[in-house]
Amino acid sequence: LSLGEAKNLPTYPGPNKMRDCYCTVNLDQEEVFRTKIVEKSLCPFYGEDFYCEIPRTFRHLSFYIFDRDVFRRDSIIGKVAIQKEDLQKYHNRDTWFQLQHVDADSEVQGKVHLELRLSEVITDTGVICHKLATRVLECQGLPIVNGQCDPYATVTLAGPSRQTKVKKKTNNPHFDEVFYFEVTRPSSYNKKSHFDIEDVDEVDKMEIRVDLWNASNLKFGDEFLGELRLPLKFLRQSSSYEAWYFLQPRDNGNKSLKPDDLGSLRLNVVYTEDHVFSSDYYSPLRDLLLKSADVEPVSASAAHILGEVCREKQEAAIPLVRLFLHYGRIVPFISAIANAEVKRTQDPNTIFRGNSLTSKCIDETMKLAGMHYLQVTLKPIIDEICQVHKPCEIDPVKLKDGENLENNRENLRQYVDRIFTVITKSGVSCPTVMCDIFFSLRESAAKRFQGDLDVRYTAVSSFIFLRFFAPAILSPNLFQLTPHHPDPQTSRTLTLISKTIQTLGSLSKSKSANFKESYMATFYDYFNEQKYADAVKNFLDLISSSGRRDHKSIEQPILLKEGFMIKRAQGRKRFGMKNFKKRWFRLTNHEFTYQKSKGDHPLCSIPIENILAVERLEEESFKMKNMFQVIQPERRVLYIQANNCVEAKDWIDILTKVSQCNKKRLTVYHPSAYLNGHWLCCKATADNTPGCTPCTGGLPANIQLDIDGDRETERIYSLFNLYMPKLEKMQEACGSKSVYDGPEEEEYSTFIIDDPKETYKTLKLIIEGVGTLEQEHAQYKRDKFKKTKYGSQEHPIGDKSFQTYIRQQSEISAHSI
């Protein structure tokens, strides 16, 4: 997601009129991300990106704009809610959405399981009357309101409502309560609390209503969680009906809401959903892709062809890099495509300056392999710049009152000097995979342009400085160096630093001429000494030399993740209370610790080698969502609650990765807690009983960390399938080139085809492999369509995405008939 900006928000009803606004991202009602607060603005600019794996089903992706209130609860200004099935409409397009009013009656999520039975009863006098039995079995996925969920249900059929018991502290309540209603009565019956309906046809017009509520202790009354209205006429075909239903918003009558007076929000949403088969399905396509580095010429390989047919090179680079990294083939692949690009380059000054497949693949590799390297190198000083707010403006036109130009220049010079020093001294920390790629770039460039002695440096600096360090300094939030986009003053300081570092790293002859602004050229005079150029060359030599080795012996702890979570006391003290407390958790590649707050001395430290398993904890244990457990030696378990489902998944994934190679890792665990003298899952009474459930499969503990090769191959298949017309056009171009050697037709000139015969062969294999996988997907969908029952727990009634799917499948089957 890219959260751009909001505009024309309503003014604050006070003398100031401005607002302090932030935006949240929600899966249904669960908040998974929050932007920084933009103060005193009715058109706040956020400029924040958020990426996540979605670990559960959802119906709406929602964005709420809040106004911060220091003294009361923050107030909601408005929201944008996009239904899951509509996400493709806005895929990868900047779109302005009108903010909608937020009505408590419309904020619903979750589903309810009901059984209805309509029966005929013959009275003593021989008269037939109808009775309805409504059984409320359970609910799932109800929202948590103000930190708690104590739900109950009410059932109504024309008379007074009946109510279930309140279920405390759960958003997946099991009610299993039955309510009986008389639908028609014998004529002699006139008790007012029952219905007055004698005509059986009137039954068709009636509806049963089930409402879900949260029992609140607040004076404002219980909160509405959702409702369901079912007409009784569908029971005419079958006297008994059992199904799951999505809860719906409450009809708010004829309230007219003006949607145009709340402002709007600019968003860009990229949502992908792939069905991934087991590994053997992908063998032909995967093998074809992985041998790309060995194909001569490389432009005839499957991976290069993907880059040619995709609209954006970035689209192809992301899954390709991840796939090659996973199988340890990234260095030969990038070496091959880089070598081909260097051969096509005429001017050494333009080497690797375009948005080619090579550039995008190296960018993506540096992002994946170099994230920890950036954290170690830049994070401490970036944090200081964001916190201290030293004035560094050197443009005389933009100077604020009371600021001194010379002082500002000195502040900026010190920052640039420190960042330049940490970068040029960090060569031994540069990841091996990046160094191997840089060595290959350097060799290709030096061989191609033998008369230019500087090209071996510029080929490497164009990536490490221009595309890695400079962008990370400019936008630290995009490289996970800061949680949010910096404020305007800090952002300006980082821009000036980034420009200077970029120029220092470029090793161009006339440095001052690189700047359009005279004040930057003047400032750069500080750095016109030979020692800076020498430091850059020494650094580039070190990270691109073939004899370089990884210096693991001097490895310092790398911070992998940190943040507040809630933990349950582990019972280390004999008489200590096992209560829940909020703590600051910190994970490095050496240990997992928690402390009272950020920067405090750790209260507990768990060495990585003592993490034997990291698994989810079932909600029934403590009636709390998003919990997981860190299992240690001697069956000691640390129970932790994350803030939301996305964060819980992130912590579980990264803890699993870092502890993956531990020799004593467990193979079984208990999915529930040990409480009141027994394990809740298997009821075993001894606390040292071995686990009752197999541990989830792990991942290799290196750069291949969270890469799933099959999933990346599925993504590549989807891209080939999407761009099939271009693949066919490329086949035509190969045919045209091999029989006609004159000027190229314009429609074929966009493709790089060095060897038409080889390229044609590869294209034929790609189209065959994609066709086979397409048939498998079609068969899978047909089988799923046959097996799936509408109204089941997986596809409750009211599931619009499933209704769309049924419509598509019906059209496909009608077409095939």
Side-chain angles (χ1 to χ4, degrees):
L1 304 170
S2 289
L3 291 130
E5 59 191 305
K7 66 178 182 185
N8 305 329
L9 298 180
T11 56
Y12 184 74
N16 187 9
K17 298 194 181 303
M18 293 290 130
R19 294 180 182 270
D20 300 341
C21 296
Y22 61 90
C23 179
T24 68
V25 181
N26 294 50
L27 289 175
D28 298 320
Q29 299 300 298
E30 184 179 9
E31 182 184 318
V32 293
F33 179 71
R34 181 180 291 209
T35 67
K36 61 175 180 187
I37 296 168
V38 177
E39 296 181 341
K40 297 177 184 168
S41 175
L42 297 178
C43 297
F45 176 80
Y46 297 109
E48 298 204 28
D49 289 354
F50 173 62
Y51 168 85
C52 79
E53 296 283 328
I54 298 177
R56 63 172 177 82
T57 56
F58 68 103
R59 291 160 69 187
H60 291 91
L61 181 65
S62 304
F63 304 83
Y64 292 81
I65 299 276
F66 284 86
D67 183 16
R68 179 184 62 178
D69 195 314
V70 180
F71 302 107
R72 294 192 301 273
R73 187 187 296 170
D74 297 349
S75 55
I76 299 178
I77 296 172
K79 74 167 180 179
V80 171
I82 307 172
Q83 289 185 348
K84 181 185 171 183
E85 49 274 15
D86 291 339
L87 285 170
Q88 283 303 322
K89 281 187 206 169
Y90 309 108
H91 182 81
N92 208 7
R93 286 195 352 239
D94 261 20
T95 311
W96 282 99
F97 293 89
Q98 286 287 339
L99 288 173
Q100 306 295 322
H101 281 271
V102 175
D103 178 5
D105 289 351
S106 68
E107 301 295 287
V108 302
Q109 77 174 47
K111 51 194 175 186
V112 60
H113 187 190
L114 293 181
E115 184 182 354
L116 302 175
R117 191 182 297 276
L118 188 64
S119 48
E120 291 183 348
V121 180
I122 302 174
T123 63
D124 297 341
T125 55
V127 179
I128 296 172
C129 66
H130 293 81
K131 287 197 173 185
L132 175 71
T134 304
R135 186 179 175 202
V136 183
L137 289 134
E138 60 180 312
C139 293
Q140 279 193 351
L142 298 177
I144 292 175
V145 185
N146 301 326
Q148 57 113 38
C149 189
D150 298 337
Y152 67 90
T154 60
V155 186
T156 314
L157 182 71
S161 297
R162 315 281 182 82
Q163 181 181 322
T164 66
K165 290 174 182 168
V166 175
K167 298 292 179 181
K168 291 280 186 184
K169 293 184 179 177
T170 176
N171 66 337
N172 298 322
H174 286 260
F175 296 112
D176 203 3
E177 294 188 40
V178 184
F179 302 98
Y180 294 96
F181 299 91
E182 283 193 10
V183 181
T184 58
R185 60 170 183 79
S187 52
S188 60
Y189 199 89
N190 63 0
K191 195 172 176 185
K192 290 295 180 199
S193 64
H194 292 76
F195 301 16
D196 246 0
I197 296 166
E198 294 182 19
D199 185 358
V200 176
D201 292 336
E202 288 291 308
V203 173
D204 287 356
K205 296 175 186 173
M206 297 171 66
E207 65 177 14
I208 183 110
R209 194 178 86 231
V210 179
D211 293 276
L212 267 295
W213 299 87
N214 178 39
S216 172
N217 300 323
L218 302 173
K219 59 184 177 186
F220 309 113
D222 295 349
E223 287 106 350
F224 174 75
L225 300 180
E227 75 165 19
L228 181 65
R229 292 170 179 262
L230 294 173
L232 293 193
K233 63 182 176 189
F234 77 91
L235 287 171
R236 306 295 272 164
Q237 287 84 34
S238 162
S239 61
S240 175
Y241 198 82
E242 180 192 337
W244 284 85
Y245 301 85
F246 271 136
L247 290 168
Q248 302 298 334
R250 188 158 52 182
D251 186 11
N252 59 6
N254 297 318
K255 286 184 198 171
S256 58
L257 299 172
K258 294 180 186 173
D260 56 349
D261 59 355
L262 294 176
S264 49
L265 181 63
R266 179 167 62 84
L267 301 168
N268 188 324
V269 180
V270 176
Y271 174 72
T272 57
E273 186 176 319
D274 294 315
H275 171 75
V276 184
F277 290 117
S278 58
S279 215
D280 49 318
Y281 283 81
Y282 298 106
S283 293
L285 184 58
R286 184 177 56 239
D287 295 346
L288 190 62
L289 288 159
L290 289 175
K291 70 177 186 186
S292 294
D294 307 320
V295 173
E296 280 289 340
V298 74
S299 60
S301 68
H304 195 279
I305 288 169
L306 181 67
E308 289 297 291
V309 297
C310 282
R311 194 166 56 111
E312 304 275 343
K313 296 280 190 270
Q314 182 80 358
E315 257 184 319
I318 292 172
L320 282 175
V321 165
R322 295 171 76 87
L323 181 73
F324 283 110
L325 266 174
H326 183 69
Y327 287 101
R329 299 281 296 152
I330 192 69
V331 176
F333 169 63
I334 286 182
S335 300
I337 58 173
N339 199 29
E341 185 176 324
V342 169
K343 283 178 182 170
R344 288 193 294 270
T345 306
Q346 301 305 316
D347 180 0
N349 293 317
T350 62
I351 197 163
F352 301 128
R353 291 298 167 97
N355 282 327
S356 61
L357 182 65
T358 309
S359 300
K360 291 296 180 189
C361 283
I362 296 175
D363 285 356
E364 195 57 32
T365 306
M366 290 193 301
K367 244 185 185 175
L368 283 169
M371 207 55 87
H372 296 157
Y373 176 39
L374 274 181
Q375 297 271 337
V376 172
T377 312
L378 292 182
K379 188 168 173 38
I381 191 161
I382 296 284
D383 284 345
E384 184 187 323
I385 293 167
C386 293
Q387 287 159 14
V388 177
H389 292 294
K390 275 187 188 174
C392 293
E393 183 54 73
I394 57 170
D395 182 354
V397 180
K398 293 183 179 173
L399 272 189
K400 291 181 185 169
D401 292 342
E403 284 187 358
N404 180 295
L405 187 60
E406 279 310 309
N407 287 351
N408 287 10
R409 272 191 193 140
E410 182 55 25
N411 289 340
L412 185 62
R413 190 191 66 75
Q414 286 179 10
Y415 277 147
V416 171
D417 234 342
R418 285 173 60 193
I419 286 183
F420 179 79
T421 305
V422 295
I423 289 173
T424 51
K425 292 271 176 70
S426 69
V428 292
S429 306
C430 186
T432 307
V433 69
M434 285 169 62
C435 295
D436 291 344
I437 289 168
F438 295 149
F439 173 68
S440 168
L441 299 182
R442 175 189 175 126
E443 293 296 295
S444 293
K447 193 174 171 185
R448 172 80 173 87
F449 301 104
Q450 291 175 8
D452 190 325
L453 295 177
D454 277 343
V455 76
R456 59 189 181 151
Y457 294 117
T458 52
V460 177
S461 71
S462 63
F463 286 104
I464 194 75
F465 280 102
L466 272 65
R467 291 171 172 266
F468 187 61
F469 283 122
I473 295 165
L474 185 66
S475 305
N477 54 308
L478 300 184
F479 291 80
Q480 295 168 26
L481 295 172
T482 58
H484 299 299
H485 189 70
D487 61 78
Q489 183 188 325
T490 307
S491 195
R492 173 68 177 158
T493 300
L494 293 172
T495 303
L496 296 171
I497 295 170
S498 179
K499 276 185 176 184
T500 316
I501 291 291
Q502 190 170 322
T503 310
L504 276 167
S506 66
L507 291 170
S508 55
K509 307 289 186 292
S510 55
K511 301 286 177 83
S512 301
N514 284 358
F515 298 109
K516 290 177 285 187
E517 310 93 339
S518 58
Y519 62 85
M520 281 302 294
T522 310
F523 173 68
Y524 196 80
D525 287 340
Y526 286 124
F527 303 98
N528 256 337
E529 297 175 40
Q530 187 59 33
K531 67 174 185 180
Y532 290 102
D534 291 344
V536 170
K537 285 184 176 179
N538 289 339
F539 170 66
L540 295 174
D541 278 335
L542 180 58
I543 64 170
S544 61
S545 63
S546 59
R548 182 194 168 282
R549 293 284 174 265
D550 223 0
H551 291 250
K552 289 228 168 125
S553 56
I554 55 166
E555 183 187 335
Q556 53 182 307
I558 296 169
L559 177 65
L560 302 176
K561 191 169 176 61
E562 60 182 347
F564 274 116
M565 291 190 288
I566 292 167
K567 65 98 191 171
R568 182 177 186 255
Q570 298 179 78
R572 286 175 297 142
K573 293 177 185 172
R574 192 173 172 191
F575 300 108
M577 291 278 288
K578 288 195 177 181
N579 51 2
F580 288 89
K581 287 181 179 172
K582 190 175 183 180
R583 292 287 181 255
W584 181 264
F585 283 82
R586 199 167 183 276
L587 175 67
T588 71
N589 57 335
H590 291 181
E591 61 181 359
F592 183 44
T593 61
Y594 61 79
Q595 50 239 50
K596 276 196 174 176
S597 49
K598 189 175 181 178
D600 288 355
H601 186 73
L603 298 170
C604 173
S605 169
I606 304 170
I608 294 302
E609 56 271 22
N610 281 359
I611 298 177
L612 306 186
V614 184
E615 299 288 348
R616 292 189 178 278
L617 185 71
E618 287 181 359
E619 192 189 321
E620 62 163 355
S621 300
F622 301 108
K623 307 287 190 227
M624 292 165 76
K625 288 188 78 171
N626 305 319
M627 288 201 73
F628 63 94
Q629 50 184 320
V630 178
I631 306 168
Q632 303 156 62
E634 297 170 11
R635 301 284 169 188
R636 178 176 289 165
V637 184
L638 175 60
Y639 296 119
I640 303 172
Q641 184 188 32
N643 296 315
N644 55 60
C645 62
V646 170
E647 202 171 286
K649 183 181 186 302
D650 286 349
W651 275 105
I652 292 168
D653 283 353
I654 200 158
L655 280 162
T656 303
K657 286 168 211 163
V658 293
S659 60
Q660 194 65 54
C661 290
N662 289 351
K663 294 189 176 94
K664 295 181 181 176
R665 270 190 72 84
L666 297 179
T667 52
V668 288
Y669 78 106
H670 290 284
S672 292
Y674 183 79
L675 293 173
N676 304 324
H678 68 275
W679 292 100
L680 297 180
C681 39
C682 57
K683 308 303 179 202
T685 52
D687 63 351
N688 60 354
T689 305
C692 55
T693 305
C695 286
T696 47
L699 301 151
N702 49 22
I703 185 56
Q704 291 106 316
L705 294 181
D706 51 354
I707 296 172
D708 177 342
D710 299 332
R711 179 175 166 173
E712 300 308 329
T713 315
E714 171 62 31
R715 185 97 292 274
I716 291 168
Y717 149 75
S718 300
L719 289 169
F720 274 137
N721 204 21
L722 177 65
Y723 293 111
M724 185 57 76
K726 275 198 172 181
L727 287 171
E728 289 163 354
K729 184 76 74 184
M730 204 170 175
Q731 268 191 322
E732 288 173 27
C734 289
S736 166
K737 269 198 159 192
S738 57
V739 295
Y740 172 65
D741 205 24
E744 274 188 282
E745 286 187 43
E746 196 177 329
E747 61 175 333
Y748 301 147
S749 62
T750 54
F751 301 122
I752 294 174
I753 302 172
D754 297 321
D755 184 332
K757 265 189 182 171
E758 280 300 314
T759 309
Y760 189 87
K761 269 192 222 168
T762 309
L763 281 162
K764 193 163 178 282
L765 291 170
I766 291 169
I767 290 167
E768 281 172 12
V770 168
T772 307
L773 276 169
E774 196 175 8
Q775 286 173 3
E776 294 290 356
H777 276 289
Q779 186 59 47
Y780 166 77
K781 283 179 179 172
R782 281 195 294 273
D783 293 346
K784 186 182 170 192
F785 181 60
K786 283 176 194 165
K787 290 175 194 168
T788 305
K789 181 188 166 199
Y790 191 42
S792 65
Q793 192 171 350
E794 293 74 31
H795 298 286
I797 294 170
D799 183 351
K800 289 188 181 172
S801 58
F802 185 66
Q803 289 170 330
T804 310
Y805 171 70
I806 286 179
R807 195 164 57 248
Q808 287 168 351
Q809 290 305 307
S810 308
E811 286 164 10
I812 290 166
S813 13
H815 177 68
S816 62
I817 289 163

